[in-house]
């Protein structure tokens, strides 16, 4: 059978990273791309810039707490920010299905404007393509972004300074975005509405970086969720990660719905949550800094870098059992972002 | 009736520019975007950068002379180059339909690699989304690009130095790309195969800029074609343009097919052609420089900037009649790029 693209290739998990290695990195082969950081780090004249791209295909286009427009701004802003960059400029490329309502396009653009204002970035260039009915599903948006890096944060992007004893911090509840989108897609009525956590986190990240604590690594917990980021941190390393399940912040309503639908919150995409790896002595201080920010008020220390279990991320359950965390194998929820 | 998005909104013509003004520029409102240049011009620290984005939705994905991959590289490289920038880095965002053949994806990526090599640019960051069957048509690619500007070429992008007497130069035959794509889409058998002109033109542009001639303006003749660029040059200006129809390079086979299908070559998208506005005294020298390059060997001077007919582009036909050139009103050929 000829090999074809499957939904899992877009999951952000194992199949995505296999596709990246076997096709994109193989053919586009260059030193910058090979690093597979959230943003490419570019040296142009005397400046260090971060450059990133994301296409947004979320279904439905509007969901509790946001829409494809707010997602397209925050997602790309956050990719720049977790690289240690100050996001400055975004592009916006629209692919729109013939027949899409103009007032919905306006609503999306108003959200993009508002979100860009919150993030203090400018949308400076764009493109619009229209395809016939049935040739795309309503609207897809690509945003690419440029930010400037402080030289002192250059190493964060690759996580080269991670050491045994460092703490793992998550900036708040995980799973909200996925459940909000799934609920809207399947028209599920919740007792307490769950809102997407979509938010630009560059302000919060800047506060953490400015506080003179030693931040070893940051990443936003998007496609593939917390689990995928944990696996990527330890991959090919001689250290491991131990996560204490009872400290991972998941809302009761979210974990309840996950149980019903057979989803694992560890793999759910978030659009306003960050994982930090921080020097042990600085962990409490980072937590205090995060807690003061509206986007970090539910921050938790969830684990640490260990000398045991090199190359593996381990989840210690509430009752004491250990489970190896794997990358997402297939696809839990397509078109979540 | 509620207003909806129509195919014409993606034509690159009048409806596109109306949509840009009434929605995108209105809401994203900032000084850089408002200039509506091919690339945004950014001032970051001591550098001037060009930044641009384009989504490619061409149908069919493979056509004589190229495919969506070569198009996605050359199109964005050319947008940077006509701004006077040296293209350096590209992003690549893929939206792929479930079931798309992996070997076709590889073929596309190989073309992207080869085209990037020709253009001397690097694909440094990427993204992959997969949607279910029927939710997009095979594959869409967004590329965004970054280039560096020489300070002395900063003014070319806006065309502020255009004066009466300047010559209009086109780098070669127009219409080839549109006819090649349309032929592949409709499965038309040509006696002499017409190939798309897709090519990275940054090398050719650099030769022209290095030759110390006074280049007032450059633009690639993509969606909306030659006609749309001519109208944009004179819009709200007190000078006009006169084009001599018999000097506009159109292959006989292309004009023949245009006649049969009711298309106007002036409005056809090209992917390897540039219009230059050049100081009269330098025109012959620019033509000679272009003629030496494989992508400029069929260059022609097609007209001049006039003091009469301010704000209008006029086509003087072979038999002597004058016709006002308008922007493309609807859509001739959707999904041409």
């Amino acid at each position: 059978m000829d090999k074809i693209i499957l939904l899992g290739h877009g999951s952000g998990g194992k199949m995505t990273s296999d596709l990246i290695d076997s096709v994109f990195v193989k053919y586009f082969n260059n030193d910058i791309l090979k690093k597979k950081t959230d943003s490419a780090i570019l040296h142009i004249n005397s400046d260090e810039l971060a450059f990133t791209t994301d296409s947004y295909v979320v279904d439905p286009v509007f969901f509790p707490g946001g829409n494809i427009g707010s997602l397209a701004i925050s997602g790309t802003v956050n990719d720049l920010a977790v690289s240690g960059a100050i996001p400055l400029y975004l592009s916006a490329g629209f692919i729109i299905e013939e027949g899409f309502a103009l007032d919905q396009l306006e609503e999306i653009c108003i959200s993009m404007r508002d979100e860009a204002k919150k993030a203090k970035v400018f949308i400076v260039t764009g493109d619009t393509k229209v395809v016939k009915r049935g040739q795309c599903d309503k609207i897809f948006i690509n945003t690419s972004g440029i930010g400037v890096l402080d030289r002192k944060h250059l190493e964060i992007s690759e996580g080269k300074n991670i050491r045994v004893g460092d703490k793992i911090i998550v900036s708040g509840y995980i799973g909200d975005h996925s459940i909000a989108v799934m609920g809207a897609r399947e028209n599920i009525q919740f007792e307490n509405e769950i809102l997407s956590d979509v938010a630009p986190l560059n302000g919060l990240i800047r506060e953490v970086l400015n506080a003179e604590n030693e931040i070893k690594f940051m990443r936003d917990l998007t496609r593939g969720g917390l689990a995928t980021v944990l696996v990527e941190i330890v991959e090919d390393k001689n250290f491991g990660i131990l996560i204490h399940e009872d400290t991972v912040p998941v809302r009761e309503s979210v974990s309840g719905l996950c149980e019903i639908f057979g989803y694992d919150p560890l793999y759910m995409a978030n659009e306003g949550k960050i994982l930090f790896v921080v020097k042990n002595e600085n962990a409490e201080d980072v937590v205090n800094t995060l807690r003061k920010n509206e986007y970090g008020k539910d921050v938790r220390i969830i684990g640490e870098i260990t000398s045991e279990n090199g190359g593996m991320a381990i989840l210690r359950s509430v009752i004491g059992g250990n489970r190896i965390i794997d990358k997402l194998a297939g696809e839990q929820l397509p078109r979540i972002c």
Side-chain angles (χ1 to χ4, degrees), chain A:
Chain A
M1 202 189 79
D2 285 339
K3 283 185 180 164
I4 58 171
I5 293 292
L6 303 170
L7 286 174
H9 286 117
S11 66
K14 191 176 170 342
M15 289 175 70
T16 305
S17 65
D18 288 349
L19 182 70
I20 289 170
D21 289 333
S22 66
V23 180
F24 302 124
V25 172
K26 176 179 168 191
Y27 293 116
F28 304 159
N29 185 30
N30 61 67
D31 289 341
I32 303 172
L33 185 69
K34 259 194 269 182
K35 292 194 172 164
K36 292 188 273 178
T37 45
D38 256 7
S39 302
I41 307 302
L42 311 177
H43 301 265
I44 298 182
N45 298 336
S46 56
D47 292 320
E48 270 92 24
L49 301 181
F51 180 35
T52 193
T53 192
D54 253 311
S55 297
Y56 298 85
V57 298
V58 65
D59 170 41
V61 169
F62 297 92
F63 48 83
N67 62 51
I68 193 170
S70 49
L71 204 59
I73 301 299
S74 282
T76 295
V77 161
N78 293 344
D79 272 350
L80 291 170
V82 295
S83 302
I86 298 171
L88 296 176
Y89 300 110
L90 301 189
S91 64
F94 295 83
I95 300 173
I96 313 176
E97 186 182 14
E98 178 191 19
F100 190 71
L102 197 62
D103 59 359
Q104 293 203 337
L105 178 64
E106 290 201 62
E107 196 178 333
I108 289 165
C109 288
I110 289 168
S111 294
M112 292 176 79
R113 176 197 65 188
D114 294 346
E115 208 80 355
K117 204 172 169 187
K118 272 193 247 172
K120 299 195 176 93
V121 296
F122 297 97
I123 303 162
V124 291
T125 188
D127 176 55
T128 312
K129 294 291 188 305
V130 180
V131 299
K132 283 190 186 168
R133 277 174 209 269
Q135 295 181 343
C136 90
D137 189 15
K138 294 182 276 291
I139 184 167
F140 302 149
I141 302 177
N142 175 287
T143 49
S144 301
I146 297 177
V148 280
L149 277 157
D150 298 342
R151 196 170 285 262
K152 66 171 178 173
H153 297 131
L154 268 179
E155 75 287 352
I156 291 179
S157 200
E158 294 178 61
K160 279 185 181 164
N161 298 329
I162 296 174
R163 298 287 177 274
V164 170
D166 290 345
K167 292 294 184 193
I168 314 286
I169 295 174
V170 164
S171 63
Y173 288 106
I174 61 169
D176 296 7
H177 173 73
S178 289
I179 292 294
V181 170
M182 189 202 68
R185 192 186 299 170
E186 308 296 341
N187 224 336
I188 299 169
Q189 301 298 322
F190 298 121
E191 207 168 320
N192 301 308
E193 190 178 42
I194 295 167
L195 301 179
S196 164
D197 59 355
V198 55
L201 300 174
N202 50 328
L204 171 140
I205 288 173
R206 200 43 43 184
E207 288 169 17
V208 170
L209 291 179
N210 284 345
E212 294 297 324
N213 291 306
E214 207 179 323
I215 308 300
K216 311 291 191 83
F217 183 75
M218 304 182 273
R219 187 156 287 179
D220 46 342
L221 303 175
T222 54
R223 276 185 301 171
L226 174 60
T228 303
V229 173
L230 292 170
V231 175
E232 285 174 356
I233 293 172
V234 294
E235 232 170 19
D236 306 320
K237 298 295 190 310
N238 52 15
F239 56 77
I241 284 178
L242 181 66
I243 299 296
H244 307 277
E245 191 178 23
D246 56 340
T247 62
V248 178
V250 185
R251 290 180 208 281
E252 257 181 62
S253 49
V254 168
S255 67
L257 279 158
C258 280
E259 220 159 283
I260 293 169
F261 290 98
Y263 298 134
D264 184 339
L266 286 188
Y267 292 92
M268 296 212 121
N270 310 274
E271 292 295 339
K273 295 295 147 38
I274 300 194
L275 174 143
F276 295 90
V277 182
V278 179
K279 197 178 179 185
N280 184 18
E281 296 88 311
N282 299 143
E284 276 305 325
D285 200 46
V286 170
V287 166
N288 290 332
T289 304
L290 284 165
R291 197 172 281 138
K292 285 182 209 139
N293 187 299
E294 61 170 321
Y295 301 133
K297 62 182 193 304
D298 301 308
V299 57
R300 295 277 198 296
I301 298 175
I302 62 164
E304 55 270 335
I305 303 291
T306 59
S307 56
E308 308 97 70
N309 303 311
M312 285 191 283
I314 304 285
L315 184 76
R316 179 159 296 165
S317 77
V318 183
I319 54 164
N322 282 353
R323 184 187 118 200
I324 297 173
I325 301 173
D326 277 324
K327 269 196 191 175
L328 185 59
E331 171 63 295
Q332 280 204 132
L333 268 173
R335 295 184 63 189
I336 204 66
C337 62

